[in-house]
Amino acid sequence: MTTHVLPQRVTILGASGSIGQNTLDVIERHPQQFQLHAISAYNNVDAMLESCRQYQPQRVVMVDTDAAQRLHQLLQQHQLSDIQVDSGAAALLDIAGNSDSDIVMAAIVGAAGLLPTLAAIKANKRVLLANKEALVMSGQLFIDALAQSNAMLLPVDSEHNAIFQCLPSAAQQQIGQQQLAEHGISQILLTGSGGPFRQTPLAQLAKQSPAAACAHPNWSMGQKISVDSATMLNKGLEYIEARWLFNCQRHELAVLLHPQSVIHSMVQYQDGSVIAQLGQPDMRTPIAYSLSYPERIDSGVAALDFTQLSQLTFAQACPQRYPCLQLAIDACWAGQAATTCLNAANELAVEAFLQERIGFTQIAEVCAQALAVLNVAEPRQLDDILAIDEQTRCFVREHLRSVAA
């Protein structure tokens, strides 16, 4: 007798972004295994209308109230009035933490993703973590919340997902608490492409435009993440996230430039072995693995054709070219206040760069200035973290006004 297994109900936080859209693509390929329950976005009405028409979730949350009203009206016009539309931060927390879904894809970009991700953790969901800022900001508090829950956390970032795949199964079950040396691991090697300015003369970096910074050579991503890749602050945030996900000591974690983005990261073992995860630069691969873990399903991504790979190269990241990466590495080991400050400062600096209010190299300068003036105690609870975040943003906004003037 065949046992009928109900499909897993999925909520996607940040459904209008690239991770959200790729998650929808994977879910659509496996209707017997996954059912879309809810999606959220900040104010992208057009993207959410299209997702509602194509995938018909039961609930939609637009954080922006005006956007929610516009979407509600459009859904009525398209005979989709059965889809419930809510707005605001409270509704976002509700779809993250209520019992109507089994899996939560946490793909909201930036600090805004912290509280909804924690809500999903506390509700014991399978949480697919694509929001690196949650761990960057809250670190130990996040890992403690995970340990106190029955949630399953699976990293979605291609690098962290690659590391996860290269770990022994016993270490996979101990996210945030594993002792790497006990599993025979000597070092985690986090790879990064180096972004679009890897070979640009240093003297020309200050003149680079937002369009140039967003032209990533390998990946298709949103503007903010693309700029972070160009500065390699994105890799710095991933470094901090890896420290917490895999409970690394400083000597157990390193960054390596790999321009081809074929090897997504590696784990080096004490016997000299190195296990790497390779694949096309397509986020559907880690998304599919996280959705179906420990099984594997079709992601829609073609396998690598090794006969077409001309070379795989590696190099150290130059601190002069990537000062944001060094700021992140130093902040990682300085403490939670430093990483929270860096994340907040970078978000505002990147926003100012995209608006052409500051130059490309000033992103690092703004972040360094914020870290230099930071003088707060280490956070002991979530409210402390949110206060440091807001304090940093107030300073950076004022600093940016003086720079622009």
Side-chain angles (χ1 to χ4, degrees):
M1 180 176 176
T2 302
T3 301
H4 179 67
V5 179
L6 293 174
Q8 296 280 289
R9 298 162 299 176
V10 182
T11 289
I12 303 175
L13 308 178
S16 62
S18 61
I19 296 291
Q21 292 295 302
N22 279 314
T23 304
L24 289 169
D25 181 89
V26 175
I27 289 173
E28 186 179 30
R29 294 171 186 275
H30 302 277
Q32 308 268 325
Q33 291 177 253
F34 306 107
Q35 179 183 67
L36 184 64
H37 170 67
I39 55 177
S40 82
Y42 182 74
N43 63 2
N44 192 333
V45 173
D46 291 341
M48 297 298 272
L49 174 62
E50 183 58 34
S51 292
C52 286
R53 292 177 63 185
Q54 187 170 353
Y55 304 106
Q56 300 194 10
Q58 295 177 37
R59 290 188 65 185
V60 180
V61 171
M62 304 294 290
V63 178
D64 181 77
T65 302
D66 292 338
Q69 293 174 347
R70 292 199 305 274
L71 180 63
H72 178 69
Q73 293 169 354
L74 288 168
L75 289 176
Q76 289 185 317
Q77 293 173 18
H78 287 85
Q79 287 77 51
L80 293 170
S81 56
D82 288 345
I83 298 176
Q84 180 181 336
V85 180
D86 297 302
S87 65
L92 190 63
L93 292 177
D94 180 58
I95 63 167
N98 67 33
S99 60
D100 294 330
S101 64
D102 309 295
I103 300 172
V104 174
M105 167 60 79
I108 297 173
V109 175
L114 173 59
L115 294 181
T117 305
L118 281 172
I121 292 288
K122 292 174 182 177
N124 303 320
K125 305 294 182 74
R126 174 187 285 233
V127 179
L128 314 186
L129 184 65
N131 170 273
K132 61 181 64 64
E133 290 84 0
L135 271 170
V136 168
M137 289 179 65
S138 64
Q140 191 64 57
L141 290 174
F142 187 100
I143 295 300
D144 289 346
L146 177 64
Q148 292 161 13
S149 75
N150 290 317
M152 175 186 291
L153 186 72
L154 293 158
V156 173
D157 270 350
S158 61
E159 295 81 1
H160 303 101
N161 191 270
I163 293 163
F164 184 86
Q165 293 192 48
C166 295
L167 293 176
S169 59
Q172 290 179 338
Q173 307 306 314
Q174 299 173 318
I175 284 289
Q177 301 185 63
Q178 61 273 76
Q179 299 297 319
L180 295 181
E182 293 180 4
H183 296 283
I185 297 167
S186 58
Q187 194 171 50
I188 286 173
L189 300 171
L190 195 65
T191 59
S193 71
F197 304 144
R198 183 175 56 86
Q199 295 181 312
T200 302
L202 293 178
Q204 295 181 18
L205 288 177
K207 302 176 182 178
Q208 298 304 314
S209 68
C214 290
H216 195 282
N218 301 331
W219 295 92
S220 175
M221 304 180 291
Q223 282 191 316
K224 196 268 182 182
I225 297 176
S226 294
V227 174
D228 283 349
S229 180
T231 64
M232 281 198 79
L233 192 280
N234 192 52
K235 197 57 52 183
L237 297 180
E238 289 172 3
Y239 179 99
I240 298 166
E241 186 181 8
R243 177 258 174 106
W244 292 111
L245 282 173
F246 307 115
N247 196 26
C248 300
Q249 304 300 311
R250 187 162 192 161
H251 68 277
E252 294 174 325
L253 186 57
V255 173
L256 198 59
L257 289 187
H258 171 51
Q260 294 81 23
S261 296
V262 171
I263 295 177
H264 298 303
S265 277
M266 299 176 276
V267 175
Q268 183 174 302
Y269 285 82
Q270 293 170 356
D271 62 1
S273 300
V274 177
I275 298 179
Q277 189 266 335
L278 288 72
Q280 303 281 5
D282 191 314
M283 286 304 300
R284 289 177 297 172
T285 299
I287 289 168
Y289 181 76
S290 300
L291 279 168
S292 63
Y293 175 83
E295 299 175 359
R296 292 182 185 267
I297 58 175
D298 173 36
S299 66
V301 180
L304 280 176
D305 182 350
F306 284 91
T307 66
Q308 300 301 308
L309 293 179
S310 58
Q311 59 180 347
L312 299 177
T313 60
F314 306 91
Q316 295 292 327
C318 171
Q320 289 74 32
R321 182 175 299 279
Y322 302 114
C324 282
L325 173 61
Q326 192 60 50
L327 285 173
I329 291 173
D330 292 341
C332 179
W333 305 108
Q336 195 66 67
T339 58
T340 302
C341 169
L342 175 62
N343 180 69
N346 178 69
E347 283 190 19
L348 294 185
V350 170
E351 179 183 40
F353 168 67
L354 288 169
Q355 295 170 353
E356 299 186 350
R357 292 189 286 131
I358 63 173
F360 179 74
T361 53
Q362 288 179 285
I363 296 173
E365 294 170 7
V366 169
C367 292
Q369 184 67 20
L371 286 165
V373 302
L374 176 71
N375 185 24
V376 295
E378 280 296 287
R380 304 177 68 178
Q381 56 188 3
L382 189 57
D383 286 346
D384 298 337
I385 290 169
L386 298 177
I388 294 169
D389 178 81
E390 183 55 33
Q391 180 180 335
T392 303
R393 290 172 190 273
C394 289
F395 167 79
V396 172
R397 289 188 189 102
E398 187 62 35
H399 180 68
L400 287 171
R401 277 194 285 270
S402 67
V403 169

